[in-house]
Amino acid sequence: MSNTDDVSSTGVALIGAGMIAKTHVAALSASRPRVRLDTIVSRRPERAQYLTEYYAGPPPLFTSELSSVTDNPDIQVVIVATPPSVRIELIETLAQAGKHILLEKPVARTLAEATQVVEICERAGVTLGVLFQHRMRAPSMAAARRLADGTLGKPGHIEIAAPLWRPQSYYDELGRGTYERDGGGVLLTQAIHTIDLALSLTGPVTRVQAMTATTPLHTMEAEDLAVAGLHFSSGAVGSLVASTATFPHGRETITLHCEHGSMRVGADALEIFWRDGRCEREADTAGQTTEEGAVVVRYQWHQGVIDDFIDSVQQGRAPMVSGRAALAPHQLIAAIESSSRSGAAVDITT
């Protein structure tokens, strides 16, 4: 075993040492001693060494060899944070080794590939979860509770907005914004978080009329703008607008206009505007500290998903967002892309 944390803790490996890796490492650090970061797999292990700054426990093994994970019985859970273009074979190898898998979004580049990933894990009998950490935000959880208690009444109009900005330098990185590496643009890479959260609150979309495009503000293969009209199974109607060509960078919001008031869900707060004139606001006060010995980084939402996933493995239940459940935002994105190509409305069957 590569480190000396409590041997009764759950051994975890991280595959991928890109931009999001430090958040995973900080989250795992905060969840010690119930979890133990055993191994980090990277194509260039020497460049991944910086991640020890975000981990307060014994340093993990850094390696480029996947066998260090598959052959290690002390590792039960693997967090996969690679680009979606290198997922299928990797996940098949991990699943055949009996490792439970927590995936960074998206599940894959296409709905067909995502379905294949889910079926690989189901056949192998391993748990598959997806890191849609926006569900762990305090305003998101408060919104779910408010909708469940029924006081707002039934939603009738739903607005999903992701007005984001990425400079051209972001897309100049090799493969970024391409179908080959990323599977798409703003929908699959950025807005999928907001789409997943929205669907968890609203229920399924059944019909889409959409347009996607690449604005003159970016040179890239995939879309940096998507606009869609939505029909929901509940009878509500609404819209989705997502872009990485919105300057200055805005905040993602989901607004549900209901019978007795409107509710706006953001990253930092939940706001409710009642028809009788009352206003309520619940702020997210989560801090950004971690235990002594590790660099400060905001990790709490990832930690919530990781802790839930560890619990799901230990308890033999589905995680908060299972692989099968994570297909819902992929289905909606595929329908938006199909509608844009054909110019016609697309029905979604579940």
Side-chain angles (χ1 to χ4, degrees):
M1 190 161 57
S2 63
N3 69 45
T4 57
D5 263 350
D6 183 357
V7 294
S8 65
S9 62
T10 299
V12 177
L14 172 64
I15 300 179
M19 292 174 59
I20 197 63
K22 61 181 179 292
T23 306
H24 288 295
V25 173
L28 291 166
S29 182
S31 289
R32 295 175 57 246
R34 72 188 301 259
V35 300
R36 181 185 70 256
L37 178 56
D38 189 283
T39 302
I40 294 177
V41 180
S42 173
R43 288 179 300 174
R44 297 177 177 175
E46 69 282 359
R47 293 192 177 184
Q49 296 282 339
Y50 78 96
L51 291 170
T52 57
E53 299 176 23
Y54 298 90
Y55 191 64
L61 169 69
F62 289 88
T63 180
S64 61
E65 299 298 327
L66 186 59
S67 59
S68 297
V69 175
T70 57
D71 295 347
N72 187 345
D74 294 320
I75 295 174
Q76 296 87 45
V77 170
V78 180
I79 299 173
V80 176
T82 64
S85 57
V86 291
R87 289 275 174 88
I88 299 292
E89 184 178 346
L90 172 61
I91 289 166
E92 191 148 26
T93 301
L94 292 170
Q96 288 175 353
K99 306 302 181 183
H100 303 288
I101 301 167
L102 181 57
L103 275 179
E104 260 295 340
K105 60 77 191 168
V107 177
R109 293 173 295 183
T110 66
L111 176 58
E113 281 188 1
T115 303
Q116 186 180 353
V117 167
V118 171
E119 291 174 348
I120 287 169
C121 294
E122 289 177 345
R123 285 195 301 269
V126 299
T127 302
L128 175 64
V130 182
L131 258 150
F132 283 123
Q133 72 272 11
H134 289 194
R135 293 204 198 187
M136 281 294 179
R137 291 170 170 170
S140 303
M141 293 186 286
R145 291 193 299 269
R146 289 302 190 102
L147 288 171
D149 71 23
T151 53
L152 276 164
K154 188 177 178 181
H157 174 207
I158 297 161
E159 298 174 272
I160 306 167
L164 311 176
W165 168 251
R166 295 292 186 273
Q168 181 59 42
S169 58
Y170 175 86
Y171 293 110
D172 288 341
E173 182 176 318
L174 183 63
R176 188 165 275 165
T178 67
Y179 293 104
E180 177 63 28
R181 193 194 87 156
D182 290 346
V186 62
L187 286 170
L188 201 60
T189 304
Q190 283 87 23
I192 192 170
H193 277 297
T194 310
I195 292 169
D196 169 74
L197 176 58
L199 294 178
S200 75
L201 298 173
T202 65
V205 171
T206 57
R207 190 172 177 82
V208 174
Q209 178 86 55
M211 181 200 79
T212 64
T214 306
T215 72
L217 300 177
H218 287 132
T219 300
M220 57 187 291
E221 181 183 14
E223 85 290 343
D224 66 354
L225 173 68
V227 181
L230 310 173
H231 291 262
F232 294 82
S233 61
S234 65
V237 294
S239 62
L240 164 69
V241 180
S243 176
T244 54
T246 306
F247 185 86
H249 185 79
R251 305 304 298 269
E252 300 148 295
T253 58
I254 301 164
T255 306
L256 294 91
H257 302 282
C258 305
E259 294 172 296
H260 307 303
S262 296
M263 178 171 67
R264 183 164 59 219
V265 188
D268 300 320
L270 169 69
E271 298 172 292
I272 300 178
F273 308 93
W274 297 96
R275 295 288 178 86
D276 62 11
R278 290 177 295 132
C279 296
E280 297 181 43
R281 189 176 191 274
E282 296 186 39
D284 185 357
T285 57
Q288 297 186 28
T289 58
T290 187
E291 61 183 292
E292 185 176 355
V295 173
V296 173
V297 63
R298 186 161 191 163
Y299 62 86
Q300 285 86 354
W301 304 330
H302 276 71
Q303 183 187 3
V305 177
I306 292 169
D307 285 347
D308 172 81
F309 187 76
I310 298 295
D311 288 342
S312 76
V313 169
Q314 294 176 345
Q315 298 166 12
R317 62 167 176 83
M320 180 186 66
V321 184
S322 68
R324 180 65 61 177
L327 293 180
H330 278 273
Q331 289 172 324
L332 178 53
I333 289 171
I336 290 171
E337 292 171 336
S338 177
S339 176
S340 179
R341 287 192 298 269
S342 68
V346 172
D347 293 322
I348 303 175
T349 57
T350 56

